[in-house]
Amino acid sequence: MASRLPRPVDADRGVRVGQRLGVGLLRLLYRARVTGQAHVPSRGPVILVANHVGFIDGPLGFITSPRPVHFLVKRAYFVGPVGWLLRGVGQIPITQRSADREALTSAREVLRAGGVVGVFPEGTRGSGEVASAQQGAAFLALGTKAVVVPVALSGTAGRSKGALPRVRSRLSVTFGEPFDL
């Protein structure tokens, strides 16, 4: 099955529906504090660059973004009902640690249409310090003149790798000052 996104306008509709559903679930399960959303420009291409510590970082960044966002998500998750859901809410499958042309092309299309793409520059979960980074975010920013907004996620790690944080845990999302490369 092709992993290309629908046209950005159609994909944004799915993102908005997913965000509304996610906000309700987030409020039910966790105590989330979100700051700095005003730092995300209200229009034009934007790349959200976030640290990646826990399994729920992607959904948390997706839900709390003030604009519809299309995250680059590990291709292995795009199977069965989860894959159907991810595609339905406009996420972009990517093969990790590779120059995945199809994923980068889809991300560029979103950005060229003035949309928002979310990237975890480490390419996988880490300590949260973003000690190393792949080149995808910089490639996209330079090629599309997108503004980069750093996003700090905390409280999202579970007790073991891949585990969710305890219910009613405090989660934090901070959107930083935008910058150009």
Side-chain angles (χ1 to χ4, degrees):
M1 182 188 301
S3 61
R4 300 291 301 249
L5 285 174
R7 293 176 326 153
V9 171
D10 296 337
D12 281 355
R13 191 172 306 123
V15 172
R16 286 188 187 98
V17 169
Q19 285 177 315
R20 280 192 290 261
L21 294 172
V23 165
L25 192 58
L26 179 65
R27 287 182 179 153
L28 179 69
L29 295 176
Y30 299 105
R31 295 179 294 157
R33 180 172 178 252
V34 182
T35 58
Q37 287 177 309
H39 291 306
V40 178
S42 60
R43 48 182 115 108
V46 175
I47 301 173
L48 301 180
V49 178
N51 63 314
H52 194 13
V53 176
F55 182 74
I56 66 167
D57 291 334
L60 185 62
F62 168 80
I63 292 167
T64 61
S65 172
R67 290 181 57 193
V69 59
H70 305 272
F71 268 91
L72 294 171
V73 178
K74 183 177 179 179
R75 189 175 297 277
Y77 293 140
F78 284 80
V79 294
V82 171
W84 177 84
L85 176 67
L86 288 170
R87 286 181 202 290
V89 296
Q91 303 315 287
I92 302 170
I94 189 166
T95 302
Q96 293 174 293
R97 303 194 192 289
S98 74
D100 186 333
R101 287 179 181 226
E102 186 176 9
L104 293 173
T105 298
S106 292
R108 274 197 316 255
E109 288 174 7
V110 169
L111 294 168
R112 286 188 179 134
V116 181
V117 170
V119 177
F120 295 108
E122 290 176 290
T124 188
R125 280 173 272 182
S127 66
E129 296 175 10
V130 190
S132 67
Q134 303 295 315
Q135 299 171 4
F139 172 79
L140 290 170
L142 291 170
T144 62
K145 305 223 185 302
V147 172
V148 177
V149 175
V151 182
L153 304 162
S154 64
T156 60
R159 290 182 147 184
S160 62
K161 187 173 182 174
L164 297 174
R166 288 184 173 165
V167 172
R168 305 307 302 154
S169 294
R170 288 186 186 272
L171 308 179
S172 175
V173 181
T174 304
F175 293 88
E177 294 277 345
F179 62 91
D180 295 309
L181 285 186

